Amino acid sequence: MRNPLPGLPSRLRSWTATLNWKAAAFITVMCCALAALLGVLVHASVTNQTVSQARDRALTRLTEATQAFEDGDRLGPGASLDPAGLPGSLRDLALAGHRGTMVGGSPHPTMWAAGPVDGHRVLAVQVDYAQGVRTIEGLDRAILGSSALAIGATLLVGAFAVTRVTRRLHATALVARRISAGDLDARVDDPRTKDPARPQDEVAAVAGALDSMASSLQRKLLSEQRFTADVAHELRTPLTGLHAAAELLPPGRPTELVRDRVATLRTLTEDLLEISRLDARSERVDLDAHRLGPLAERVVRGSGAPAEVRIGQDVCVETDRRRLERVLANLVANAHKHGRAPVEVSVDGPVVTVRDYGDGYPEYLVEHGPQRFRTEGGARGHGLGLTIAVGQAEVLGAGLTFANAPDGGAVATLTLPYRPDGSP
């Protein structure tokens, strides 16, 4: 996806994507638009009023001057016949037999009023308009100053109100991420949701819904964990009896089939018990220093199946050997069971890679990880081996990813926590 703002640094882009910035921009734009609208309306109203008052004074003095001219009296101050500074358009209007007014700006703001006399001459009156201009300019400065103050105050109040909402949204999002990471005890605990009689806003409604969802999910998961653990635990006793009885059967093909099925059931039961412990997060690691190269070779030898071990850079990591061997053994067994030879185990620093040359992992597994009791393509198994490997890797604090190689085959990559200065 292309960046819509390629010229901005990533940190600035992430900041401008926040709700605080969007709300501030929206409030600023709306305040500026409202201030501009009100300013234009006030400016137009006051200007019209000022011009109208000056025009009335000029026309009144023009009437008085015209009467004095007709009576043969002396013209008053500001009145004259055919003055040189009279605007041309106003002069033409008067010569056409009409009276009119016009504002002229040379050399000083002046309101002119002119009308015809004697049929071919123009009588004009000028009124000082400088005070009106100063009034309008002062009004414009007052409008700009008050608009700036109003925008600043509104922006501060709006930012404060929006920040309170976004802070609650951030807290809700943080709790949601904790729940998705497996912390089912996380809750928003918005105080507005504690009192049903108290009006709730949308953020409180979302927080309450998230808490209710987390509580319901936690109850269901705990119930499933208890059920799985109880079933696996109750199966151990009859399976032990079945195993003992199968050992007493006479040799033969039926006996081998019974023993094989009993062994499969016992393995499945132990896997279920292990998964229930991982789900309950009751596992504790026993850390010690171990070299990855010899440990990987020992796992391959113990698997009883051929696999090539490649050691690039051998390092010493602090880990739980039993759990790490369990993870690697499950990965190697899965490669032999569902992939094709050759199976390769590579050690390069704290990274262990298990690869085969089969058809690769299913698409759902690459995207979402292994799922219990789900296999595809007619493969045999219960989907528990990789599930246990992922769970044990999480206990070790390691990362386990699954991918398909470009040239074919499945690739499982285990990355262990490692500090170079911790090597012996």
Side-chain angles (χ1 to χ4, degrees):
M1 180 177 179
R2 294 184 60 187
N3 177 18
L5 298 174
L8 294 178
S10 58
R11 180 175 298 180
L12 181 59
R13 291 198 304 269
S14 62
W15 182 80
T16 54
T18 61
L19 186 59
N20 284 338
W21 184 88
K22 294 179 180 178
F26 175 77
I27 293 173
T28 302
V29 171
M30 293 304 297
C31 287
C32 290
L34 182 60
L37 177 61
L38 293 177
V40 169
L41 292 176
V42 173
H43 174 85
S45 177
V46 174
T47 300
N48 290 336
Q49 182 179 1
T50 303
V51 171
S52 177
Q53 291 175 353
R55 180 182 294 111
D56 291 341
R57 290 198 305 270
L59 289 175
T60 300
R61 294 183 60 181
L62 177 62
T63 301
E64 294 174 352
T66 302
Q67 184 65 39
F69 178 81
E70 291 176 353
D71 294 341
D73 296 335
R74 182 177 174 221
L75 300 178
S80 59
L81 290 171
D82 297 323
L86 182 65
S89 58
L90 184 58
R91 185 186 301 274
D92 295 339
L93 180 66
L95 291 175
H98 302 287
R99 300 176 66 184
T101 60
M102 178 178 289
V103 176
S106 177
H108 301 290
T110 303
M111 175 64 73
W112 290 92
V117 291
D118 290 345
H120 61 279
R121 303 180 69 184
V122 176
L123 177 62
V125 174
Q126 54 180 331
V127 176
D128 185 17
Y129 190 62
Q131 182 61 37
V133 172
R134 288 192 294 269
T135 300
I136 296 174
E137 291 176 349
L139 175 65
D140 291 342
R141 289 192 295 270
I143 291 175
L144 290 176
S146 59
S147 298
L149 290 176
I151 292 173
T154 305
L155 188 59
L156 289 176
V157 174
F160 174 74
V162 172
T163 301
R164 293 188 62 186
V165 175
T166 55
R167 188 182 299 116
R168 293 165 59 198
L169 288 175
H170 283 310
T172 304
L174 178 61
V175 172
R177 284 192 289 267
R178 290 172 57 191
I179 293 174
S180 64
D183 184 7
L184 298 182
D185 293 323
R187 297 292 184 274
V188 180
D189 287 331
D190 194 316
R192 295 167 180 78
T193 62
K194 302 300 181 182
D195 186 6
R198 184 177 180 180
Q200 297 185 9
D201 57 9
E202 288 78 3
V203 180
V206 172
L210 180 63
D211 288 347
S212 299
M213 181 197 69
S215 299
S216 176
L217 181 62
Q218 186 178 38
R219 288 193 298 269
K220 291 180 180 179
L221 288 180
L222 290 177
S223 176
E224 292 179 0
Q225 291 171 8
R226 284 194 298 269
F227 176 77
T228 303
D230 292 343
V231 169
H233 181 75
E234 293 299 326
L235 285 175
R236 297 181 77 177
T237 300
L239 284 175
T240 302
L242 281 174
H243 179 73
E247 294 297 326
L248 299 177
L249 293 175
R253 181 60 180 168
T255 300
E256 294 178 1
L257 293 175
V258 170
R259 290 176 180 175
D260 179 70
R261 293 300 89 193
V262 171
T264 301
L265 282 175
R266 292 188 68 180
T267 301
L268 176 59
T269 302
E270 295 300 327
D271 288 345
L272 289 174
L273 282 173
E274 186 171 357
I275 287 178
S276 67
R277 290 193 298 268
L278 292 172
D279 288 341
R281 298 183 179 274
S282 59
E283 299 283 59
R284 297 294 181 268
V285 294
D286 183 15
L287 298 178
D288 200 358
H290 300 279
R291 287 206 167 272
L292 278 182
L295 190 147
E297 292 174 342
R298 185 164 57 249
V299 169
V300 170
R301 287 196 303 269
S303 67
E308 180 182 359
V309 180
R310 298 178 178 178
I311 301 177
Q313 178 187 1
D314 190 14
V315 296
C316 186
V317 295
E318 190 175 4
T319 187
D320 188 321
R321 180 183 60 82
R322 180 183 66 84
R323 298 184 190 280
L324 180 56
E325 289 181 347
R326 174 70 158 153
V327 173
L328 295 180
N330 283 15
L331 294 179
V332 172
N334 183 81
H336 281 291
K337 189 173 186 179
H338 300 289
R340 285 193 295 269
V343 174
E344 300 173 354
V345 180
S346 303
V347 178
D348 187 9
V351 180
V352 183
T353 303
V354 179
R355 175 180 179 174
D356 62 68
Y357 288 84
D359 297 329
Y361 292 118
E363 193 65 28
Y364 80 88
L365 192 149
V366 175
E367 293 182 359
H368 307 291
Q371 299 179 18
R372 305 169 191 179
F373 300 104
R374 178 177 178 179
T375 56
E376 291 187 357
R380 298 176 57 191
H382 306 287
L384 299 182
L386 293 183
T387 303
I388 292 175
V390 171
Q392 293 290 9
E394 291 179 356
V395 174
L396 294 173
L400 180 57
T401 59
F402 303 94
N404 291 323
D407 55 345
V411 180
T413 304
L414 178 68
T415 305
L416 294 162
Y418 173 65
R419 292 179 305 187
D421 56 353
S423 301

